[in-house]
Amino acid sequence: MVFRECSCSFNAHASKKQQMSLPESRTEKGDQNEQTPFFKKKKKKNSDPAKSFSEKKRDSCSLESGQILILLTGRHRGKRVVFIKQMRQSGLLLITGPYSLNGVPLRRVHQKTTITTTTSLPLSTEDFQVPPFVDDSYFCTKKKPKATLESVLEDVGDKEKDEVSEERKSLQRKVDEAVLDSIKRIPYMGDYLSQKFSLSKGQMPHKMNF
Amino acid sequence: MGRLYAKGIFTGYTRGLRNQHEKTALIKLEGVNNKEDTAFYLGKRVAYVYKAKVKTRCTAPGAAADRTRVIWGKICRSHGNSGSVRAKFAKNLPPKAMGHRVRVMLYPSSI
């Protein structure tokens, strides 16, 4: 399905044809108006040879650490959460409830499935740093080993429950500590984050300021 | 849970006076009365939710089989000057949905 109006315009850049002239006939810049064609330099896009492709792809989002987002999809839809940082590799946003307020753990979320509010917590980077091992691979689901006939016949009944590891819990507490600290300093912020967002009668999203 | 979608009504298919083209549906959004206001909704996903007799499996994790079914679509462009909007669905909307509720989600969000 091709949607015309909502997608970006692909014909934005008219291709500039490079007019090459013979070295002999090239004159000084001042003599442009004469016979030799104007030598146009090809416009280079942001080519930074130092950056690899995977690094270049992800533009940093304009969100500030501590900004409140509203989740629109998933099991936590409607909940107001705190933005922490953007993941380097995938571009997803790292958010936390905090867990004790609304049950949202440290989680990755796509920016397109959130509403950014102008409300934000003052989370300065001096007293609040997420440990560096918290990156995309930390959140990726671990692949289960393929079930062979023997393994299926062996484990009869006792299925492993997906329990949250103690490491995750301690990381959650650590991150939430600093976040909860700044929440307590703002009146009603705790109540605000523990309540869900929903539209009511007469509320039009296109007219709302978030 | 709370409503996280804007309300819309499926008013009909794109049509001339005597021929209709069922591949594109026209949606009247609540509270949207001019073309400028529709800009917010362009690209947003739309859902026509209905119930059937036979229970089908739910996509929600751990949810029981449900009678509720959905046809998903997207708002592709505005339609006219008075705030209507065109939407294309994965399967064309059934004509019995005319005059009925269509849910316009707030994602993919650009705010």
Side-chain angles (χ1 to χ4, degrees):
Chain A
M1 293 187 263
V2 176
F3 304 129
R4 280 177 281 145
E5 269 192 350
C6 59
S7 55
C8 63
S9 60
F10 293 107
N11 57 355
H13 314 285
S15 59
K16 289 188 180 148
K17 263 193 174 174
Q18 207 181 9
Q19 285 183 302
M20 292 296 284
S21 54
L22 292 170
E24 309 91 73
S25 60
R26 273 185 216 157
T27 55
E28 305 279 15
K29 257 198 173 176
D31 301 334
Q32 284 171 26
N33 300 325
E34 295 186 353
Q35 320 102 313
T36 48
F38 183 55
F39 180 64
K40 286 182 184 173
K41 229 184 176 182
K42 218 183 202 174
K43 207 182 196 183
K44 272 191 177 177
K45 290 194 177 175
N46 32 309
S47 58
D48 190 350
K51 280 190 188 173
S52 64
F53 175 72
S54 54
E55 283 186 342
K56 257 195 262 178
K57 244 170 76 166
R58 303 294 161 196
D59 295 317
S60 58
C61 61
S62 51
L63 295 181
E64 281 176 13
S65 179
Q67 230 169 329
I68 309 291
L69 309 174
I70 300 173
L71 300 179
L72 296 171
T73 29
R75 55 173 52 187
H76 300 291
R77 57 183 161 274
K79 291 191 182 172
R80 296 170 167 116
V81 294
V82 181
F83 165 73
I84 296 174
K85 71 167 190 181
Q86 188 183 22
M87 310 252 72
R88 193 86 185 84
Q89 206 183 17
S90 62
L92 298 173
L93 311 180
L94 178 66
I95 53 144
T96 184
Y99 187 74
S100 52
L101 285 183
N102 47 27
V104 181
L106 270 173
R107 213 166 200 263
R108 294 181 304 168
V109 126
H110 194 112
Q111 190 174 5
K112 286 274 178 189
T113 64
T114 62
I115 293 177
T116 319
T117 62
T118 48
T119 321
S120 65
L121 303 172
L123 283 183
S124 59
T125 42
E126 292 95 56
D127 26 70
F128 174 73
Q129 272 281 345
V130 182
F133 64 81
V134 180
D135 65 346
D136 283 303
S137 49
Y138 183 75
F139 289 102
C140 279
T141 48
K142 316 287 180 266
K143 272 193 173 176
K144 289 187 200 151
K146 267 192 174 177
T148 59
L149 184 63
E150 295 89 31
S151 66
V152 168
L153 292 173
E154 273 175 12
D155 331 314
V156 177
D158 199 25
K159 264 193 177 176
E160 260 189 55
K161 267 198 168 181
D162 287 321
E163 290 244 9
V164 181
S165 64
E166 270 305 315
E167 186 210 352
R168 279 277 182 111
K169 288 185 187 173
S170 62
L171 174 69
Q172 183 72 50
R173 267 181 251 126
K174 185 172 163 229
V175 171
D176 282 355
E177 212 182 290
V179 179
L180 284 166
D181 208 30
S182 56
I183 288 171
K184 281 180 188 153
R185 284 188 236 134
I186 304 174
Y188 303 112
M189 183 54 85
D191 296 326
Y192 175 67
L193 288 176
S194 51
Q195 292 194 351
K196 279 194 194 172
F197 168 82
S198 75
L199 292 169
S200 68
K201 188 177 175 182
Q203 285 188 316
M204 308 301 165
H206 66 282
K207 286 188 184 155
M208 290 169 76
N209 285 322
F210 290 98
Chain B
M1 241 305 178
R3 181 164 63 91
L4 285 172
Y5 56 86
K7 293 191 207 171
I9 298 233
F10 168 45
T11 56
Y13 306 111
T14 42
R15 57 180 300 164
L17 183 57
R18 296 176 179 88
N19 302 305
Q20 68 181 16
H21 308 288
E22 296 88 3
K23 61 179 180 178
T24 311
L26 301 177
I27 311 280
K28 179 98 198 82
L29 298 163
E30 201 175 87
V32 184
N33 297 313
N34 44 33
K35 206 167 165 179
E36 295 78 50
D37 291 344
T38 62
F40 173 87
Y41 297 97
L42 296 183
K44 300 284 184 284
R45 295 192 72 193
V46 204
Y48 169 61
V49 184
Y50 62 106
K51 294 204 169 103
K53 185 180 175 195
V54 177
K55 286 188 183 175
T56 48
R57 239 185 301 155
C58 255
T59 45
D66 212 357
R67 289 210 163 85
T68 316
R69 298 182 187 183
V70 197
I71 303 178
W72 284 101
K74 269 192 207 183
I75 292 182
C76 47
R77 51 181 289 186
S78 62
H79 181 80
N81 296 317
S82 304
S84 271
V85 124
R86 293 189 207 178
K88 280 184 177 238
F89 287 80
K91 294 274 174 180
N92 295 344
L93 282 190
K96 72 170 185 182
M98 280 195 209
H100 285 77
R101 174 69 63 227
V102 129
R103 301 185 188 185
V104 179
M105 306 320 229
L106 300 176
Y107 55 88
S109 146
S110 47
I111 35 168

Coordinates of all heavy atoms in Angstrom, one line a residue, chain A residues 171-200:
Chain A
L171 N 19.4 -4.0 39.6 CA 19.6 -2.9 38.7 C 18.4 -2.0 38.7 O 18.5 -0.8 38.6 CB 19.8 -3.5 37.3 CG 19.9 -2.5 36.1 CD1 21.2 -1.7 36.3 CD2 19.9 -3.2 34.8
Q172 N 17.2 -2.6 38.7 CA 16.0 -1.8 38.7 C 15.9 -0.9 39.9 O 15.6 0.3 39.8 CB 14.7 -2.7 38.7 CG 13.4 -2.0 38.7 CD 13.2 -1.5 37.3 OE1 13.3 -2.1 36.3 NE2 12.8 -0.2 37.2
R173 N 16.3 -1.5 41.1 CA 16.2 -0.7 42.3 C 17.2 0.4 42.3 O 17.0 1.6 42.7 CB 16.5 -1.6 43.5 CG 15.3 -2.2 44.2 CD 15.6 -3.1 45.3 NE 15.4 -4.4 45.0 CZ 16.3 -5.4 45.2 NH1 17.5 -5.2 45.6 NH2 15.9 -6.7 44.9
K174 N 18.4 0.1 41.7 CA 19.5 1.1 41.7 C 19.1 2.3 40.8 O 19.2 3.5 41.2 CB 20.7 0.5 41.1 CG 21.9 1.4 41.2 CD 23.2 0.6 40.8 CE 24.3 1.6 40.4 NZ 24.9 1.2 39.2
V175 N 18.5 2.0 39.6 CA 18.1 3.1 38.7 C 16.9 3.9 39.3 O 16.9 5.1 39.2 CB 17.8 2.5 37.3 CG1 17.2 3.5 36.4 CG2 19.0 1.9 36.7
D176 N 16.0 3.1 39.8 CA 14.8 3.8 40.4 C 15.1 4.7 41.5 O 14.4 5.6 41.8 CB 13.8 2.8 40.8 CG 13.0 2.2 39.6 OD1 13.3 2.7 38.5 OD2 12.2 1.3 39.7
E177 N 16.2 4.4 42.3 CA 16.5 5.1 43.4 C 16.7 6.6 43.1 O 16.1 7.5 43.7 CB 17.8 4.6 44.0 CG 17.9 4.7 45.5 CD 19.3 4.2 46.0 OE1 19.5 2.9 45.9 OE2 20.1 5.0 46.4
A178 N 17.5 6.8 42.1 CA 17.8 8.2 41.7 C 16.6 8.9 41.1 O 16.3 10.1 41.3 CB 19.0 8.2 40.7
V179 N 15.8 8.1 40.3 CA 14.6 8.6 39.7 C 13.6 9.0 40.7 O 13.0 10.1 40.7 CB 14.0 7.6 38.7 CG1 12.8 8.2 38.0 CG2 15.0 7.3 37.6
L180 N 13.3 8.1 41.7 CA 12.4 8.4 42.7 C 12.8 9.6 43.6 O 11.9 10.3 44.1 CB 12.2 7.1 43.6 CG 11.4 6.0 43.0 CD1 11.6 4.7 43.9 CD2 9.9 6.4 43.0
D181 N 14.1 9.8 43.7 CA 14.6 10.9 44.5 C 14.1 12.2 43.9 O 13.6 13.1 44.6 CB 16.1 10.8 44.4 CG 16.7 11.5 45.7 OD1 16.0 11.5 46.7 OD2 17.8 12.0 45.6
S182 N 14.2 12.3 42.6 CA 13.8 13.6 41.9 C 12.3 13.7 41.8 O 11.8 14.8 41.7 CB 14.5 13.7 40.5 OG 14.1 12.6 39.7
I183 N 11.6 12.5 41.8 CA 10.1 12.5 41.8 C 9.6 13.1 43.1 O 8.7 13.9 43.1 CB 9.6 11.1 41.5 CG1 9.8 10.7 40.1 CG2 8.1 11.1 41.8 CD1 9.5 9.3 39.8
K184 N 10.2 12.8 44.2 CA 9.7 13.2 45.5 C 9.8 14.7 45.7 O 9.1 15.3 46.4 CB 10.5 12.5 46.6 CG 10.0 11.1 46.8 CD 10.8 10.4 47.9 CE 10.4 8.9 48.0 NZ 11.4 8.0 48.5
R185 N 10.8 15.3 44.9 CA 11.0 16.7 45.1 C 9.9 17.5 44.4 O 9.7 18.7 44.7 CB 12.4 17.1 44.5 CG 13.5 16.7 45.5 CD 14.8 17.3 45.0 NE 15.8 16.2 44.9 CZ 16.6 16.0 43.8 NH1 16.5 16.9 42.8 NH2 17.4 15.0 43.8
I186 N 9.2 16.9 43.4 CA 8.2 17.7 42.7 C 6.9 17.3 43.3 O 6.5 16.1 43.3 CB 8.3 17.3 41.2 CG1 9.6 17.6 40.6 CG2 7.2 18.1 40.4 CD1 9.8 17.2 39.2
P187 N 6.0 18.3 43.6 CA 4.7 17.9 44.2 C 3.8 17.2 43.2 O 3.8 17.6 42.0 CB 4.1 19.2 44.6 CG 4.9 20.3 43.9 CD 6.3 19.7 43.6
Y188 N 3.1 16.2 43.6 CA 2.2 15.4 42.8 C 2.8 14.6 41.7 O 2.0 14.0 40.9 CB 1.1 16.4 42.2 CG 0.3 17.2 43.2 CD1 0.5 18.6 43.2 CD2 -0.5 16.6 44.1 CE1 -0.2 19.3 44.2 CE2 -1.2 17.3 45.0 CZ -1.0 18.7 45.1 OH -1.7 19.4 46.0
M189 N 4.1 14.6 41.5 CA 4.7 13.9 40.4 C 4.5 12.4 40.6 O 4.3 11.6 39.7 CB 6.2 14.2 40.3 CG 6.9 13.5 39.2 SD 6.2 13.8 37.6 CE 6.9 15.3 37.1
G190 N 4.6 11.9 41.9 CA 4.4 10.5 42.2 C 3.0 10.0 41.8 O 2.8 9.0 41.2
D191 N 2.0 10.8 42.1 CA 0.6 10.5 41.8 C 0.4 10.5 40.3 O -0.3 9.7 39.7 CB -0.3 11.5 42.5 CG -0.3 11.4 44.0 OD1 -0.1 10.2 44.5 OD2 -0.5 12.4 44.6
Y192 N 1.1 11.5 39.7 CA 0.9 11.7 38.2 C 1.5 10.4 37.5 O 0.8 9.9 36.6 CB 1.7 12.9 37.8 CG 1.8 13.2 36.3 CD1 0.6 13.5 35.6 CD2 3.0 13.1 35.6 CE1 0.7 13.7 34.2 CE2 3.1 13.3 34.3 CZ 1.9 13.6 33.6 OH 2.0 13.9 32.2
L193 N 2.6 9.9 38.0 CA 3.2 8.8 37.3 C 2.5 7.5 37.6 O 2.5 6.5 36.8 CB 4.7 8.7 37.7 CG 5.6 9.7 37.1 CD1 7.0 9.5 37.6 CD2 5.6 9.6 35.6
S194 N 1.8 7.4 38.7 CA 1.1 6.2 39.0 C -0.3 6.1 38.4 O -0.9 5.1 38.3 CB 1.0 6.0 40.5 OG 0.4 7.2 41.1
Q195 N -0.7 7.2 37.8 CA -2.0 7.2 37.1 C -1.9 7.0 35.6 O -0.9 7.5 35.0 CB -2.8 8.5 37.4 CG -3.2 8.6 38.8 CD -4.2 9.7 39.0 OE1 -4.5 10.5 38.1 NE2 -4.7 9.8 40.2
K196 N -2.9 6.4 35.0 CA -2.8 6.1 33.6 C -3.4 7.3 32.8 O -4.3 8.0 33.3 CB -3.6 4.8 33.3 CG -2.8 3.6 33.6 CD -3.6 2.4 32.9 CE -3.0 1.1 33.4 NZ -3.8 0.0 32.9
F197 N -2.9 7.4 31.6 CA -3.5 8.4 30.7 C -4.6 7.8 29.9 O -4.5 6.6 29.5 CB -2.4 8.9 29.8 CG -2.9 9.7 28.6 CD1 -3.2 11.0 28.8 CD2 -3.1 9.1 27.4 CE1 -3.7 11.8 27.7 CE2 -3.6 9.8 26.3 CZ -3.9 11.2 26.5
S198 N -5.7 8.5 29.8 CA -6.7 8.0 28.8 C -7.5 9.2 28.3 O -7.5 10.3 28.9 CB -7.7 7.1 29.5 OG -8.5 7.7 30.4
L199 N -8.1 9.1 27.2 CA -8.9 10.1 26.6 C -10.3 10.1 27.2 O -10.8 9.0 27.4 CB -8.9 10.0 25.1 CG -7.6 10.2 24.3 CD1 -7.8 9.8 22.9 CD2 -7.2 11.6 24.4
S200 N -10.9 11.2 27.4 CA -12.3 11.2 27.8 C -13.1 12.0 26.9 O -12.6 12.6 25.9 CB -12.4 11.7 29.3 OG -12.1 13.1 29.3

